[in-house]
Amino acid sequence: MSYTQRLSLLIMADSLIVLTSIFFSRFLVSADIHVITLPVVVSSITLLLCHHLFSMIYKLYKKAWEYASVGELLFILKAITFSIATAAMIQLVIFQDISFRLLAVTWMLHILLIGGSRFCWRIVRDTYIKKNDDKKRTLIVGAGSAGTMVVRQLTKNNDSELLPIAFIDDNVNIRNLDIMGLPVIGGVDQIEKAVHVLNIDNIVIAIPSLGKRQLNTIFEECAKTKVKTLILPKLEDLVTGKLSVNQFRDVQVEDLLGREPVELDIDSISEYIKHKVVLVTGAGGSIGSEICRQVMKFDPLKIILLGHGENSIYSIEMELKDSYGSSQIECITEIADVQDANKMMAIMNKYRPHVVYHAAAHKHVPLMEKNPEEALKNNLIGTMNVAKAASMYGVNIFVMISTDKAVNPTSVMGATKRLAEMVIQSMDKTSDTKFVAVRFGNVLGSRGSVIPRFKQQIEKGGPVSVTHPDMVRYFMTIPEASRLVIQAGALAKGGEIFILDMGDPVKIVDLAKNLIRLSGNSLEDIGIEFTGTRPGEKLFEELFKANEVDERQVYPKIYVGKTADLYTEEIIKMISNYASLDKAILREQLLKLANSSNVIPISKKLISIG
């Protein structure tokens, strides 16, 4: 039906209702069938004109009445009340009298008939037209403002495949009450029972401000059932309008692991990045590319993307240009190997960066066990090359990406990263550049992470291979790791190792179980297979030694490590001799030096690397 046809129909229906209301009211008040009198005719004409006038003012003819609610009812009340008041004034002016009883009864009938005519369409629509047995019965977790918005959106949207059935909420004050026509049937501990009793097909977690620990608790209850679990978009996506409350997504492993993200000190970061030249090594990697994305938000003058792999560097270059093409930020690519000392010098000389983020490294533990010379060349010599070049050409701040595997290392990768930490701490003592390192645990979704491997195994039908049932690791997301690196630059005074309070470690077998459940499979269908620890692996990772970290936080959730013993002379000697050593001997010497406590520390005997 067109708008013109709809308007004509409503005007005709309302005219009939107005006339019926006043003449029937006259009959009820006077108990006389002779209802056509001069005062009634004058009042009826006044009411008719005023009703249409106020209906236009309050846009009653433009409302979609199939979605009518309390707001529309208030507009009807105002339009009718003002119409009756106008009719009363006309009676007073013409007849010097007001028929209060007649107008009062007319007012009530008017509201009843107009309101009924409008809301009956919604009743018919909700009861018959919208009824769809094919929709999936859905349990809403959270009866707050977000949960009620979800229910409203789902009931309005004919295209939605979800049908809200009931609420779950831990608030005892609303227990057993009805909200939006749905019962609040219990707390989170009642999810499993509710799914079986109400024949639920889907669960929607509608609490966008939920913390990770709380979400984990809810998901554990949802995982006891076999129904699909969805979650509302993040609060910032709802606030910024990127997503609406009916755009649900699957629960992801990132939602369940880690801690609450560390908030950035925007002012201090802007101060050292804005309108500055920033160089990122390993810019094509998972951490390096995310650092580039985060840095671009702070309006640098130039950003140099340095990496060894041309495809990954091209990919991040195109992404940044697509996202920030309209800005004045110059995005420059350099294909180079950090093992090439001359090339590092040339690049630093050419661009004279103010800030360097050193993310280039070999990180795969088992591969580095087989190739210790490559780990030494890339992680240790490469770091030394970039650090020397940075010092030579006046870089203000140099931030190296390290790892929890550098603490009491049992692997070649961890040993080379610990020795690289020593190198930059030593250089900080003799250079005007502020050299710092940032140490954190495993990064979700990064290259070499267990999660992509687990997902591949699940897609193939399993089993998921876990090295050991007691294996635990610290986890954080790629954006959070990158933000920590950038924040460390703002906190740098020189020589620190910044350490993130990563909360409680996560058992890898629990991570595997969560991924299986999130994929919609059961543990019995996929299965878990224990393969034994790999070379160089530890069951438990540490973020710092007991005597290495200052108890005071330099920033919320960030600690700073104390200066440890630095064995620079031994490092230089190893670099000069490594090529002639057998792999097994080289591995042994790397681990011995990284864990050494019997050689002369740099605090007593200072040897300059630069």
Side-chain angles (χ1 to χ4, degrees):
M1 184 183 297
S2 68
Y3 173 73
T4 304
Q5 293 173 324
R6 187 172 179 276
L7 178 62
S8 301
L9 180 61
L10 284 173
I11 289 175
M12 290 175 59
D14 281 8
S15 299
L16 181 61
I17 288 172
V18 170
L19 296 176
T20 300
S21 297
I22 190 166
F23 286 116
F24 190 62
S25 296
R26 169 66 180 175
F27 169 74
L28 292 175
V29 170
S30 63
D32 188 351
I33 61 173
H34 302 291
V35 295
I36 302 177
T37 63
L38 182 60
V40 172
V41 171
V42 171
S43 298
S44 63
I45 295 172
T46 304
L47 272 179
L48 192 61
L49 295 175
C50 288
H51 174 83
H52 293 313
L53 173 64
F54 287 112
S55 292
M56 293 294 184
I57 292 173
Y58 290 109
K59 300 179 180 179
L60 295 184
Y61 295 137
K62 292 187 176 182
K63 304 291 183 185
W65 292 104
E66 60 267 35
Y67 302 115
S69 63
V70 175
E72 283 71 26
L73 182 60
L74 290 175
F75 287 134
I76 290 174
L77 185 63
K78 289 178 181 179
I80 293 173
T81 301
F82 288 138
S83 298
I84 293 292
T86 305
M89 287 188 289
I90 294 297
Q91 284 185 355
L92 182 62
V93 170
I94 297 178
F95 304 107
Q96 286 78 48
D97 188 26
I98 299 176
S99 303
F100 286 105
R101 288 193 301 166
L102 173 66
L103 293 179
V105 176
T106 302
W107 179 81
M108 289 187 286
L109 281 176
H110 200 165
I111 289 177
L112 178 64
L113 294 175
I114 291 292
S117 68
R118 297 298 196 270
F119 280 85
C120 67
W121 172 240
R122 175 169 179 174
I123 295 170
V124 170
R125 171 183 170 272
D126 289 348
T127 306
Y128 301 104
I129 297 178
K130 273 194 69 179
K131 189 165 180 161
N132 190 342
D133 294 332
D134 295 333
K135 290 194 173 187
K136 296 177 180 178
R137 296 170 63 83
T138 302
L139 186 67
I140 310 296
V141 180
S145 56
T148 53
M149 278 195 295
V150 166
V151 171
R152 187 177 291 111
Q153 290 288 335
L154 292 179
T155 52
K156 283 182 180 180
N157 188 0
N158 281 327
D159 298 328
S160 173
E161 62 177 9
L162 305 181
L163 178 66
I165 298 298
F167 283 110
I168 287 287
D169 200 291
D170 283 333
N171 186 352
V172 294
N173 295 324
I174 60 174
R175 196 74 52 82
N176 300 320
L177 298 180
D178 275 16
I179 298 177
M180 302 287 293
L182 304 182
V184 182
I185 58 177
V188 170
D189 58 341
Q190 296 296 309
I191 289 177
E192 185 178 12
K193 179 182 178 182
V195 167
H196 293 299
V197 172
L198 300 176
N199 195 26
I200 296 297
D201 301 307
N202 280 74
I203 299 173
V204 171
I205 301 174
I207 314 175
S209 59
L210 204 61
K212 291 180 184 291
R213 292 184 185 275
Q214 296 168 300
L215 178 59
N216 222 325
T217 301
I218 294 174
F219 180 75
E220 285 298 323
E221 292 297 320
C222 296
K224 294 177 182 178
T225 71
K226 293 186 177 181
V227 303
K228 187 176 181 63
T229 301
L230 301 170
I231 191 171
L232 208 60
K234 294 180 181 178
L235 189 60
E236 55 264 32
D237 291 335
L238 293 175
V239 172
T240 57
K242 291 181 181 178
L243 297 172
S244 64
V245 292
N246 60 348
Q247 290 179 284
F248 311 114
R249 62 178 177 84
D250 292 336
V251 180
Q252 299 167 346
V253 69
E254 288 86 348
D255 297 318
L256 306 177
L257 298 178
R259 328 151 350 276
E260 299 307 311
V262 174
E263 298 297 328
L264 293 178
D265 182 353
I266 304 299
D267 293 335
S268 65
I269 292 173
S270 296
E271 187 177 339
Y272 89 97
I273 291 181
K274 188 172 184 179
H275 300 157
K276 301 290 175 50
V277 179
V278 178
L279 185 146
V280 182
T281 71
S286 49
I287 298 294
S289 60
E290 183 62 26
I291 289 174
C292 295
R293 296 183 192 100
Q294 298 285 345
V295 165
M296 293 292 279
K297 298 176 182 179
F298 295 97
D299 194 26
L301 179 65
K302 297 178 184 177
I303 183 167
I304 294 94
L305 314 175
L306 189 152
H308 195 220
E310 59 180 19
N311 291 330
S312 58
I313 292 296
Y314 175 76
S315 178
I316 185 62
E317 178 194 19
M318 291 299 101
E319 179 186 334
L320 295 181
K321 286 185 176 180
D322 289 342
S323 301
Y324 298 92
S326 59
S327 70
Q328 300 299 313
I329 303 171
E330 191 175 354
C331 190
I332 303 167
T333 58
E334 285 284 350
I335 303 300
D337 191 339
V338 293
Q339 298 176 37
D340 187 341
N342 293 331
K343 187 66 177 286
M344 293 303 103
M345 287 288 183
I347 290 173
M348 293 289 180
N349 183 30
K350 181 178 180 181
Y351 298 110
R352 300 295 176 107
H354 300 90
V355 182
V356 172
Y357 298 108
H358 179 49
H362 285 327
K363 307 178 185 72
H364 198 281
V365 172
L367 285 180
M368 293 306 101
E369 292 298 298
K370 297 176 183 177
N371 303 276
E373 72 286 357
E374 294 302 322
L376 184 145
K377 287 193 294 183
N378 206 59
N379 294 355
L380 183 52
I381 298 176
T383 298
M384 188 179 293
N385 291 340
V386 180
K388 282 183 179 180
S391 179
M392 175 71 73
Y393 292 102
V395 170
N396 295 336
I397 298 172
F398 182 103
V399 183
M400 170 195 158
I401 314 302
S402 190
T403 170
D404 56 359
K405 294 174 177 61
V407 182
N408 297 319
T410 58
S411 66
V412 168
M413 193 279 277
T416 55
K417 295 297 280 187
R418 177 65 192 118
L419 297 178
E421 288 179 355
M422 293 182 186
V423 166
I424 67 160
Q425 284 185 303
S426 175
M427 290 199 66
D428 184 74
K429 294 176 180 293
T430 59
S431 174
D432 292 332
T433 299
K434 295 178 182 177
F435 286 94
V436 299
V438 180
R439 189 187 288 169
F440 44 72
N442 293 320
V443 179
L444 293 171
S446 65
R447 295 176 187 175
S449 169
V450 296
I451 292 176
R453 174 66 175 160
F454 284 172
K455 288 181 177 179
Q456 290 174 357
Q457 292 175 331
I458 293 169
E459 288 174 2
K460 293 179 180 178
V464 172
S465 58
V466 177
T467 55
H468 194 282
D470 295 326
M471 183 78 70
V472 296
R473 291 292 183 267
Y474 293 97
F475 283 96
M476 65 193 310
T477 64
I478 292 176
E480 185 179 10
S482 303
R483 287 195 291 266
L484 171 63
V485 173
I486 295 171
Q487 185 66 66
L491 299 171
K493 294 181 180 178
E496 302 100 331
I497 296 178
F498 291 102
I499 302 161
L500 178 65
D501 176 5
M502 299 191 68
D504 299 323
V506 177
K507 293 187 73 170
I508 300 299
V509 67
D510 291 341
L511 173 61
K513 290 177 181 178
N514 278 333
L515 278 170
I516 292 171
R517 291 165 181 158
L518 289 172
S519 67
N521 296 287
S522 67
L523 297 178
E524 293 76 17
D525 294 336
I526 301 298
I528 294 177
E529 178 183 55
F530 295 105
T531 59
T533 56
R534 300 177 298 178
E537 277 191 327
K538 294 191 290 187
L539 289 182
F540 304 91
E541 295 290 4
E542 307 157 275
L543 287 169
F544 45 81
K545 295 180 183 179
N547 62 347
E548 188 183 34
V549 69
D550 194 320
E551 293 182 358
R552 294 177 296 103
Q553 293 184 10
V554 294
Y555 192 78
K557 301 292 185 181
I558 300 177
Y559 295 88
V560 61
K562 299 173 183 176
T563 301
D565 294 338
L566 309 176
Y567 307 114
T568 312
E569 186 177 13
E570 288 74 13
I571 292 173
I572 294 173
K573 183 177 179 181
M574 176 172 287
I575 289 173
S576 63
N577 295 330
Y578 83 92
S580 61
L581 298 177
D582 177 77
K583 287 186 178 184
I585 296 175
L586 176 58
R587 179 184 183 278
E588 181 182 344
Q589 290 195 5
L590 283 169
L591 289 171
K592 183 178 179 180
L593 181 55
N595 290 287
S596 181
S597 60
N598 297 318
V599 295
I600 300 173
I602 192 64
S603 57
K604 296 180 182 178
K605 184 177 179 181
L606 183 62
I607 303 294
S608 174
I609 291 179

